[in-house]
Amino acid sequence: MALVPCQVLRVAILLSYCSILCNYKAIEMPSHQTYGGSWKFLTFIDLVIQAVFFGICVLTDLSSLLTRGSGNQEQERQLRKLISLRDWMLAVLAFPVGVFVVAVFWIIYAYDREMIYPKLLDNFIPGWLNHGMHTTVLPFILIEMRTSHHAYPSRSSGLTAICTFSVGYILWVCWIHHVTGMWVYPFLEHIGPGARIIFFGFTTILMNFLYLLGEVLNSYIWDTQKKPPSRQGT
């Protein structure tokens, strides 16, 4: 038996994301006042994705509790829709985007933090909030993947969806540069047009890889659990 029910964990994670978002939005940073506001940063978009995802998880848990034993076919049909939406969001957005944000942020940060998170931001964003945005996303999504089975969509539709998201965000970043003359992320200022194209192409490929990684990880976790224990020879 789990030490903490997964339903309680989901509520706690949802509340933590709400707290992180509220604290982040309360910070008066110059970048929040410029074109695109907080929505130009993938970190903020990811926080919204995670909060919405865990909100759907909590809503699914509540609906399951209310539907249990009712025998109402309409309620059960609505519950199946919620579960399908929850599973789709984890597969296509919550896992690949969340892991991407954590991995890319800390890799670039370790190489040269000024390229992605200038030291000046320490005056605005406390350390705990930085980790809430760029670290805890990974263990939270892994906990969800470990505690509940999620049915992935067909591989073609899943990859199409994550590609659409990736290309859409890249176009959004390029549009912001077109309007303001500045790149959202400092390191993009220091590389040439060709290198930017390669970087954008690489990030799209990485997103696709992370989608496939999530699919494999989900199958591994739940196929292993379903596998019957081998019988000892007599």
Side-chain angles (χ1 to χ4, degrees):
M1 183 176 177
L3 293 177
V4 180
C6 58
Q7 294 86 349
V8 176
L9 280 173
R10 291 188 187 111
V11 172
I13 292 171
L14 174 60
L15 291 176
S16 72
Y17 276 123
C18 290
S19 174
I20 291 167
L21 282 167
C22 288
N23 279 277
Y24 178 75
K25 291 297 290 181
I27 297 172
E28 296 183 0
M29 288 196 302
S31 59
H32 289 180
Q33 313 305 320
T34 57
Y35 185 79
S38 303
W39 291 98
K40 58 179 170 283
F41 300 112
L42 186 59
T43 293
F44 179 77
I45 294 173
D46 177 51
L47 287 175
V48 173
I49 289 171
Q50 302 298 330
V52 170
F53 169 68
F54 279 99
I56 293 172
C57 288
V58 171
L59 184 59
T60 302
D61 290 338
L62 288 173
S63 299
S64 179
L65 183 64
L66 295 173
T67 304
R68 187 177 301 161
S70 68
N72 188 312
Q73 292 186 348
E74 178 59 23
Q75 287 183 345
E76 291 177 357
R77 187 173 68 85
Q78 295 300 326
L79 176 59
R80 285 194 296 271
K81 284 184 178 181
L82 265 179
I83 292 172
S84 296
L85 177 60
R86 179 200 68 182
D87 293 350
W88 185 89
M89 273 208 72
L90 177 126
V92 172
L93 293 174
F95 183 86
V97 178
V99 177
F100 178 91
V101 166
V102 173
V104 172
F105 175 83
W106 287 113
I107 288 171
I108 298 177
Y109 186 98
Y111 177 74
D112 183 357
R113 69 168 294 178
E114 295 298 320
M115 295 176 69
I116 194 166
Y117 191 82
K119 196 170 180 59
L120 175 67
L121 291 179
D122 290 343
N123 298 323
F124 300 95
I125 303 176
W128 71 266
L129 186 55
N130 179 29
H131 284 291
M133 296 188 297
H134 298 116
T135 305
T136 57
V137 174
L138 181 57
F140 284 169
I141 204 66
L142 290 176
I143 288 171
E144 171 60 25
M145 193 172 258
R146 176 64 181 79
T147 54
S148 296
H149 176 263
H150 297 272
Y152 265 61
S154 68
R155 184 167 293 180
S156 58
S157 64
L159 290 175
T160 299
I162 191 61
C163 276
T164 301
F165 175 86
S166 302
V167 172
Y169 181 70
I170 290 169
L171 292 175
W172 172 230
V173 168
C174 292
W175 175 254
I176 292 172
H177 177 261
H178 172 74
V179 172
T180 65
M182 296 185 65
W183 289 103
V184 173
Y185 303 102
F187 71 90
L188 292 173
E189 301 278 0
H190 304 292
I191 59 178
R196 287 191 203 106
I197 292 173
I198 293 172
F199 175 77
F200 289 146
F202 170 76
T203 57
T204 303
I205 293 171
L206 180 57
M207 281 283 200
N208 281 267
F209 170 78
L210 291 174
Y211 172 86
L212 296 173
L213 176 63
E215 183 182 57
V216 170
L217 185 59
N218 181 67
S219 297
Y220 173 77
I221 291 171
W222 292 99
D223 288 350
T224 300
Q225 286 195 359
K226 291 176 182 177
K227 188 181 296 183
S230 59
R231 292 185 295 179
Q232 298 293 330
T234 57

